[in-house]
Amino acid sequence: MTEENSGKGRATRSRKEAEAARKTTLKVPTDKKLARKAMRERDGEARLAMRRAMYTLDEKNLPLRDRGPVKQFIRDYVDSRITVGELFVPAAFAIMLMLFGGANNVTLQLYASAAWTVLFAAFVLDSVIFGFRIRRMIRKEFGEDNVRGTVFYALSRSITFRATRLPKPAVKVGGAPKATKLPKSLQK
């Protein structure tokens, strides 16, 4: 390396300066009441930044479980398709209505029981296939080291209603990019 390209372009701080800077950022009021108020304000700002990040996908402020390119890849893959898990709760609710609505109708109860069995089997089969597929895709894209916990993350996202998913989906069903809007409560 040449003399011009080495270094960071500024002098390194002395230890005394670094410690002084750290102490000023950590300065907490000695009064307990003021200290609690300052802590609540800091925590509130951090929560607000995290809530904004759920819509804007700001990597720095996302919760740890949602950070990184692997999790972004999983979110985009899950959000680009419709799964049986996403339809499971509404379908199960409809089957329960059939069961309770036809309390005296044995035929309706038989059909509802058969529908429940088919729905549950489809859910389990889709989840198993989806799990193997996502594990294979993560290994192919990011290597063997990044597989741990990804299947659970993908399955838990796939069974959540699309409208309630956090972080908000960045792609539409089919894979096209989607613009997300911040709610008015999060806009400055």
Side-chain angles (χ1 to χ4, degrees):
M1 258 190 216
T2 64
E3 186 86 17
E4 301 166 6
N5 294 337
S6 66
K8 57 188 174 258
R10 59 181 167 78
T12 303
R13 297 190 295 191
S14 69
R15 182 178 189 149
K16 185 177 179 182
E17 291 171 343
E19 286 178 353
R22 187 178 63 83
K23 285 180 182 176
T24 58
T25 59
L26 293 177
K27 196 141 196 157
V28 180
T30 54
D31 182 23
K32 285 185 179 181
K33 196 172 188 180
L34 291 175
R36 272 195 302 266
K37 183 178 179 183
M39 186 176 70
R40 273 196 307 270
E41 287 176 6
R42 275 195 317 272
D43 291 348
E45 289 170 5
R47 277 194 303 275
L48 186 62
M50 189 180 296
R51 284 184 55 214
R52 275 195 193 108
M54 292 294 196
Y55 289 88
T56 62
L57 301 177
D58 175 26
E59 195 73 24
K60 184 180 86 173
N61 291 316
L62 280 175
L64 283 175
R65 71 183 169 107
D66 295 316
R67 287 185 193 166
V70 176
K71 300 294 176 80
Q72 179 65 44
F73 178 81
I74 292 170
R75 284 194 304 269
D76 289 346
Y77 181 73
V78 170
D79 295 339
S80 69
R81 61 193 301 264
I82 295 176
T83 62
V84 175
E86 195 174 345
L87 305 173
F88 184 78
V89 173
F93 183 70
I95 291 171
M96 285 183 61
L97 286 177
M98 284 173 47
L99 281 171
F100 292 129
N104 297 329
N105 190 345
V106 177
T107 308
L108 187 61
Q109 287 183 346
L110 183 67
Y111 285 133
S113 295
W116 173 254
T117 305
V118 169
L119 176 67
F120 189 73
F123 171 67
V124 169
L125 183 66
D126 183 57
S127 295
V128 168
I129 291 170
F130 185 69
F132 281 120
R133 185 179 298 153
I134 200 79
R135 184 178 288 127
R136 185 182 54 211
M137 290 173 68
I138 295 296
R139 280 189 181 128
K140 184 179 175 186
E141 286 283 323
F142 299 100
E144 188 68 36
D145 297 338
N146 296 308
V147 176
R148 187 173 179 189
T150 56
V151 174
F152 179 75
Y153 183 77
L155 288 175
S156 64
R157 187 160 178 95
S158 72
I159 62 173
T160 307
F161 292 123
R162 187 173 178 79
T164 61
R165 290 179 185 166
L166 287 176
K168 289 296 183 183
V171 295
K172 296 177 185 175
V173 174
K178 174 184 167 188
T180 57
K181 291 181 1 182
L182 276 174
K184 289 185 180 185
S185 64
L186 297 177
Q187 293 175 359
K188 285 187 178 179

